[in-house]
Each structure stands twice: as C-alpha cells, then as structure tokens.
C-alpha cells in the first residue's frame, strides 16, 4: 500500500506542477486590453452594413412573442423593468434604433461574439453576463438573474436580431468606431461650447435630459439619473465614438474628431453615480484597480479643483 501511494504521488506531482504553472500564467496574462474581442473590421467601400431581419418578420409563435417582449424591454427598460434600473436610462439610449444601428453597438454584431473575456470583471463573460453589466453600470441598477424573464426575453431579441451573422466573426459597425485622439488633445472648455450648440437642446443645459411627464425622452448625460462611473460610456474615447456616429440625433458624422473628443470630455467631466466597484471607499484605489488602464477617463482626476468620482445620489 505504501509503495502504491508513493508511486501515485510521484505520478501526480508533475501534473500538479503543470496545473500550478498554468494557473500562474493565467494570473499573469496581459489584462490591459478592454476586451479580447477582435476589433471590428473596417467596412469595405461600397458595401453596406449587415441588415438585421425586419420587425415584420418576427414569427407568430411562442418564440416570436418572446422576441417582441425583448424588444419592448429594450425600448422601455425603465418603465417595464423598474426594479432593475436605478436611473433614467433605457437600453436604446446607447444602442440606437432598437439596437439595429451600426456603430451604435448593435445587437446583431454583439450576440455572436460571446462568450468573451472582459477586463471589467476579469473573466470570460456570457452574453447574459454582458447584459447584466449594462444594468449594473449603464443603468446604475441591479442585474436581473440570468434565468429571469427579463434576461430570457432580451437574449431572445438579440439572438433573433443576429440571424445570419457568422458565429465569432467580428462585423463592421460592431462597436462605436472611436475617432483617433486629436493631436492637441481634448479641451473641456471647447467641449462646453460644442455642447451648448449641438447637445443642450435635447439634453438640457444641466445635462439632465428631457422628460414628457414621467418619461425621459432624451436621457440625462450626467447627474444622479445618468450612467455611473463604471459604465463604458464614462471613457472619453468611447463616448467620442458614440457621439460622432450618432449625435446630434439624426445628424451623425457631422462633428469632427476634435469636436467629438472635446464634447465627450465635457460630458464626462461632470459627476455621476459612484462606480459600484469602489474599493474600500477610496477613489484613488478604485482608479488604480479599475480606471487607470481603462481607456481615457477622468475618474479620480482633479478637474477645476475637484476630484471626480465622488458620486451623486
């Protein structure tokens, strides 16, 4: 028996050592990329973006009913799932035209690219986990359970929208196609002027958005009812891409690279709800762990004599 145990131990030692080495390699792997998803390719000249199926093509069966429910939730998240939304945002605010529009993180370009690694939570995420992150950060709320009716419906809608898209093949128009940083850098003061001219009409001078009754028709861009400091849109480079392609609404691609960066910096130089990942109540610690290598952002940075990231409620 003792001989058998010694032989077994000798056989297991190399396996355990290999496992430990693999674990160390995984822990020490480069994690400074926003995601390990391949970059969206440039759309070839003369080629159109992928076109998802028309709403009229939703089947008239149980699956179609779930797809329609998902579309309704996508358009009216705050009203239909208020228990999970902590601000005045809806999915459609960041994913224009019901999640159809290219260069607005369309659903048809996202669904087929998951599972994928995300630095934000340092693990490989399913598509459902990716959407849960939207509820936690962009909507400053509570993630619905993976098997909840809300998640099931939203997943069905995204699955249907991606009909015909090859699995794992990045599509042109997948993200926000960020403009290159301007040579002179961004300028918050210039961004304020761009905001006043191009954005305030819909989003208000105070960035609080516009409501009709209790319903937000134009989302708040900062303050207690906007996305929190953990949302991807708090990155100036990400916001610049979204703004340049999609804003002013209906007149995308009218702002220069400089204007897009400047106004994105102005918007994200305002306070908003705290990052729920705040480390030990310390903004500097949270910046070091989550924000220092996360694109271009102002979390924990002193602007006009005040350190951003205090949060608002």
């Amino acid at each position: 028996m003792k001989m058998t145990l010694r032989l077994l131990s000798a056989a297991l030692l190399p396996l355990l050592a290999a496992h430990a080495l693999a674990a160390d390699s995984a822990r020490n792997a480069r994690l400074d990329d926003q995601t390990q998803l391949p970059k969206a390719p440039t759309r070839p000249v003369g080629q159109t973006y992928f076109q998802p199926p028309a709403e009229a093509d939703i089947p008239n069966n149980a699956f179609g009913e779930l797809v329609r429910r998902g579309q309704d939730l996508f358009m009216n998240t705050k009203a239909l799932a208020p228990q999970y939304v902590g601000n005045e945002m809806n999915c459609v605010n960041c994913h224009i035209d019901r999640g159809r529009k290219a260069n607005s993180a369309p659903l048809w370009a996202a669904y087929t690219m998951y599972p994928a690694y995300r630095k934000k939570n340092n693990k490989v995420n399913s598509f459902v986990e990716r959407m849960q992150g939207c509820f936690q950060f962009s909507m400053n709320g509570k993630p619905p359970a993976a098997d909840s009716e809300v998640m099931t419906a939203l997943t069905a809608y995204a699955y249907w929208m991606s009909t015909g898209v090859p699995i794992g093949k990045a599509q042109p128009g997948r993200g926000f196609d960020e403009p290159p940083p301007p040579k002179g850098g961004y300028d918050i003061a210039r961004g304020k002027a761009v905001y006043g001219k191009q954005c305030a009409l819909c989003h208000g001078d105070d960035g609080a958005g516009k409501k009709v009754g209790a319903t937000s028709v134009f989302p708040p861009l900062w303050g207690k009812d906007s996305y929190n400091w953990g949302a991807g849109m708090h990155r100036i480079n990400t916001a610049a891409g979204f703004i340049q392609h999609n804003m002013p609404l209906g007149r995308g691609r009218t702002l220069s690279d400089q204007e897009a960066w400047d106004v994105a910096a102005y918007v994200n130089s305002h306070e908003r709800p705290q990052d729920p990942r705040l480390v030990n109540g310390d903004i500097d610690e949270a910046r070091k762990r989550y924000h220092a290598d996360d694109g271009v952002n102002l979390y924990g940075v002193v602007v006009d004599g005040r350190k951003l990231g205090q949060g608002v409620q």
Side-chain angles (χ1 to χ4, degrees):
M1 177 63 75
K2 290 182 179 180
M3 179 64 71
T4 301
L5 288 174
R6 283 198 295 270
L7 291 173
L8 183 60
S9 298
L12 284 175
L13 280 174
L15 295 176
L16 292 172
H19 177 76
L21 181 62
D24 285 341
S25 297
R27 282 193 294 270
N28 295 323
R30 286 179 60 83
L31 300 179
D32 57 353
D33 54 332
Q34 171 58 23
T35 172
Q36 290 179 4
L37 288 171
K39 185 177 180 180
T42 302
R43 177 170 58 102
V45 176
Q47 181 176 316
T48 60
Y49 291 109
F50 174 81
Q51 296 299 309
E55 184 176 356
D57 294 332
I58 298 176
N60 292 315
N61 54 24
F63 171 68
E65 289 180 9
L66 192 61
V67 169
R68 291 188 183 89
R69 171 63 173 165
Q71 180 174 256
D72 288 344
L73 283 162
F74 194 86
M75 296 290 291
N76 304 289
T77 325
K78 171 71 173 181
L80 298 180
Q83 67 273 38
Y84 303 118
V85 180
N87 55 21
E88 291 293 329
M89 307 293 285
N90 298 295
C91 299
V92 73
N93 294 144
C94 295
H95 311 274
I96 307 297
D97 189 22
R98 296 167 292 164
R100 292 173 170 272
K101 189 177 183 300
N103 298 308
S104 183
L107 290 180
W108 48 262
Y111 180 83
T112 59
M113 297 304 294
Y114 284 86
Y117 169 80
R118 297 189 75 218
K119 180 183 178 183
K120 180 169 287 188
N121 54 14
N122 194 21
K123 70 174 186 175
V124 173
N125 285 202
S126 67
F127 184 71
V128 166
E129 288 174 310
R130 177 65 182 87
M131 287 194 295
Q132 287 175 321
C134 289
F135 278 94
Q136 183 179 15
F137 299 106
S138 295
M139 298 186 193
N140 193 40
K142 175 184 176 183
D147 60 351
S148 65
E149 183 266 349
V150 168
M151 278 293 147
T152 302
L154 287 170
T155 301
Y157 180 51
Y159 169 81
W160 176 77
M161 287 273 279
S162 65
T163 302
V165 177
I167 298 294
K169 184 176 181 180
Q171 298 296 304
R174 177 176 62 81
F176 295 128
D177 193 18
E178 300 169 8
K183 290 183 179 180
Y186 61 79
D187 186 285
I188 293 174
R190 281 198 309 258
K192 181 178 181 180
V194 175
Y195 183 88
K197 183 178 180 180
Q198 302 285 358
C199 315
L201 179 64
C202 294
H203 297 285
D205 293 331
D206 59 357
K210 294 290 180 67
K211 285 186 174 184
V212 174
T215 302
S216 288
V217 292
F218 295 107
L221 302 184
W222 63 81
K224 65 181 181 62
D225 291 322
S226 188
Y227 52 89
N228 68 39
W229 279 111
M233 202 65 77
H234 96 287
R235 296 189 298 266
I236 294 171
N237 52 300
T238 299
F242 173 80
I243 289 167
Q244 189 176 58
H245 281 283
N246 302 290
M247 296 291 134
L249 191 62
R251 294 191 291 115
R253 300 297 305 175
T254 59
L255 297 182
S256 67
D257 293 354
Q258 182 73 68
E259 289 173 321
W261 271 81
D262 288 348
V263 75
Y266 173 69
V267 167
N268 284 326
S269 69
H270 291 83
E271 274 297 349
R272 55 192 65 258
Q274 179 57 261
D275 186 338
R277 302 167 298 177
L278 182 65
V279 180
N280 300 323
D282 192 308
I283 294 172
D284 293 331
E285 282 194 48
R287 176 167 180 80
K288 183 178 180 180
R289 183 177 300 184
Y290 296 114
H291 298 270
D293 297 317
D294 188 18
V296 181
N297 70 83
L298 294 171
Y299 182 89
V301 175
V302 176
V303 176
D304 292 334
R306 54 193 170 86
K307 181 180 288 187
L308 295 173
Q310 305 293 329
V312 291
Q313 296 181 348

